Amino acid sequence: MTQDALAPAESSVATSVIERIASQKERIHVSIGAVCNNNCVFCMEEDREDRYENNSAMTTERVRWILEQNRGAEEVCFTSGEPTTRPELPDLVGMAKKLGYRRISVMTNGRRLSHLPYAALLAKAGMNRFYISIHGHTKKLHEGLTRTPESYEQTVGGLDTIAKLKRFGLELHTSTVLTDRNLPHMLDIYRFLREHGVDQVVFNVMQANGRADTYFEQIFPTYTETAAAFRRFLDAVGEAQPQAFLVDIPLCTTEAIEDFNRGYVEKHAHYNLADRGTVMPEEQVATRQQRGGGRGLVLLTRQDLDDAERSKRSECARCRYDGVCEGVWKNYLKRNGWDEFVPVPPAAGPTTAPGAGPTAA
C-alpha cells in the first residue's frame, strides 16, 4: 500500500507549516485494492487476509453510498492494496465525477499505468491526480524494497505514461518511503523523478506499524538521521525551491528544514467493515456504525489511528507544534525512546517560507 500523502495547501499566499496543517481539509479514501502485486518490505498492511476481506466488501453499491455521503469533500482517493487490480476502477472514477468531485485520485504502485490505453481510460473517466509509489532510482534499489521482479520497469513506465497525459490536465506526484537503503540516495531519486515529469516528490517517513514494525531494526532510520539527510539533500539540489517534501515526521526534529519543504499527513476518512481493523474502543465503534446503504461499515479517521498508535508526553505541551503534532509512533518509541524529541519554544509569530507549500503527492 502506498503510504499516506500530505494534504493540499493550494493558496498562493506564503504560509507556515503550522498554518497549513491547521487549515487542511479532509480527504475521502475509498479502500478497494483487495490484493497488491507488490510485496513491499515496509507495507503498513501486513495482514493481507484481513485487507482482502475488507476491501473485497467494498462493492460498487457500497462505494456509491460512500461517494454520495461525502459529496463536497475536497478529494476522493482510491487506495489500499493496489486499486488498479480492481476491474471496476474506471467505472468508480466515472461515478465520482458524475457526483461532482473536483479532484479524483489514486494511490498506486503505477505498474498497470504503464499500459497507455488503461491510463487514458482512467483519465477520460475523470481521474486527474496520480500518486505513484516508487522507492528508488534504480532497479536494484526499488525492487530490493518491493521484493517484486520487473516492478521497477513497469512503475517507471507508469510515470512516463502519466507524464505524456499531463497535457490533458493530469497531475503526477510520487511517494518514496524512506528506509536505511534509499535515504542516502534522495538527490538521485529526486532528479530521476523530476526528469520523468513528476510535479511533486514526497519522501514519506515510514509508519512504524505493519511490516515496518516487523523489520524495524533492518530498515528504519531514526528521525534525526532522516531530517539531517533531507537537509543535506536540499543544500545539494541547487534549486531555489525544490518540489520535494518530507512527510510524517515530528516537526520538532525538522527545525533546520524550510517550512515549504516540510509536509504532513493529510486528514482523511475512510470506511472499514465494522469487525475489521477498527483500532477504536468497542464502545466508540458502536457510535460509528453506518446505516442504510452503509450497513456493516464503520467510519474511521486519520485521528483514530493517531490516537491508537501514537503518543505524546507532558513535555510536548510546551512545544510550538503541539497543537498540530500527531505524536510519535509507539512502536518507534519502544526502540528509540524520547531523546530525539526536544520541545521547540513558541515563536513571536508563525515562521513563513516562500510559496504555498506542497499540494499533495
Side-chain angles (χ1 to χ4, degrees):
M1 177 182 180
T2 304
Q3 297 217 23
D4 294 332
L6 67 170
E10 300 198 346
S11 168
S12 60
V13 179
T15 57
S16 72
V17 67
I18 294 175
E19 292 169 325
R20 295 205 316 271
I21 295 173
S23 63
Q24 65 178 307
K25 298 177 182 178
E26 194 164 74
R27 178 161 89 181
I28 299 302
H29 283 187
V30 183
S31 302
I32 63 169
V35 298
C36 183
N37 50 357
N38 277 355
N39 189 31
C40 296
V41 67
F42 46 72
C43 183
M44 297 179 293
E45 298 177 325
E46 189 169 28
D47 188 345
R48 293 196 164 198
E49 181 178 347
D50 184 83
R51 181 185 65 200
Y52 180 84
E53 294 292 334
N54 186 79
N55 294 359
S56 294
M58 298 302 163
T59 61
T60 298
E61 292 72 24
R62 274 182 164 153
V63 172
R64 182 187 302 277
W65 179 87
I66 292 170
L67 294 174
E68 289 175 344
Q69 293 299 306
N70 292 280
R71 286 189 189 190
E74 180 178 64
E75 178 175 355
V76 58
C77 182
F78 294 96
T79 183
S80 188
E82 177 46 50
T84 62
T85 61
R86 284 289 290 267
E88 311 96 311
L89 180 58
D91 294 332
L92 301 179
V93 172
M95 185 187 302
K97 183 177 181 180
K98 288 179 181 178
L99 288 170
Y101 283 87
R102 182 176 67 87
R103 179 173 296 123
I104 305 169
S105 61
V106 63
M107 291 186 184
T108 174
N109 60 37
R111 294 175 60 187
R112 194 172 180 191
L113 300 178
S114 62
H115 185 53
L116 178 59
Y118 177 75
L121 179 63
L122 291 177
K124 185 176 181 180
M127 187 166 284
N128 49 28
R129 182 175 285 178
F130 293 80
Y131 304 112
I132 295 181
S133 182
I134 181 167
H135 310 297
H137 62 299
T138 66
K139 178 181 177 68
K140 180 179 179 181
L141 185 54
H142 179 75
E143 292 186 4
L145 293 168
T146 65
R147 302 187 297 185
T148 307
E150 309 306 323
S151 60
Y152 175 77
E153 291 87 351
Q154 292 176 357
T155 295
V156 174
L159 292 175
D160 292 340
T161 296
I162 301 303
K164 291 175 184 177
L165 297 174
K166 282 172 59 178
R167 66 184 185 274
F168 299 109
L170 307 187
E171 297 175 68
L172 175 57
H173 299 185
T174 54
S175 169
T176 299
V177 177
L178 292 174
T179 71
D180 279 331
R181 301 178 196 174
N182 59 13
L183 188 66
H185 302 289
M186 280 191 281
L187 181 60
D188 290 332
I189 292 170
Y190 175 78
R191 288 176 172 166
F192 174 82
L193 294 176
R194 293 287 277 170
E195 288 171 359
H196 282 266
V198 175
D199 299 311
Q200 291 192 352
V201 176
V202 169
F203 292 103
N204 283 87
V205 175
M206 275 182 286
Q207 296 190 14
N209 52 14
R211 289 180 182 161
D213 182 44
T214 302
Y215 299 109
F216 190 99
E217 284 75 17
Q218 289 77 38
I219 62 174
F220 210 127
T222 67
Y223 291 135
T224 301
E225 292 167 342
T226 299
F230 189 77
R231 179 66 263 177
R232 291 193 297 271
F233 152 72
L234 291 177
D235 290 341
V237 72
E239 297 178 14
Q241 197 171 80
Q243 294 298 305
F245 308 97
L246 185 63
V247 175
D248 205 8
I249 182 170
L251 294 172
C252 63
T253 67
T254 61
E255 275 291 275
I257 297 171
E258 294 285 347
D259 275 9
F260 177 80
N261 299 104
R262 294 197 283 175
Y264 46 89
V265 175
E266 90 294 340
K267 291 180 181 177
H268 72 259
H270 71 282
Y271 297 83
N272 270 16
L273 291 178
D275 60 347
R276 292 187 179 273
T278 52
V279 305
M280 296 183 296
E282 190 172 334
E283 60 273 15
Q284 189 176 1
V285 172
T287 68
R288 300 283 191 86
Q289 294 270 11
Q290 304 301 299
R291 303 290 183 265
R295 185 179 300 277
L297 302 180
V298 62
L299 175 66
L300 294 167
T301 69
R302 170 75 195 185
Q303 188 64 51
D304 295 324
L305 178 61
D306 290 341
D307 290 344
E309 303 293 346
R310 301 194 198 229
S311 182
K312 289 187 178 183
R313 58 177 176 169
S314 58
E315 288 90 337
C316 294
R318 304 199 307 266
C319 184
R320 175 190 310 174
Y321 301 112
D322 183 48
V324 296
C325 177
E326 299 121 337
V328 186
W329 292 104
K330 295 175 183 177
N331 288 330
Y332 184 95
L333 292 170
K334 282 193 305 185
R335 275 81 167 206
N336 297 325
W338 283 102
D339 290 349
E340 292 176 271
F341 310 104
V342 179
V344 180
T351 303
T352 60
T359 56

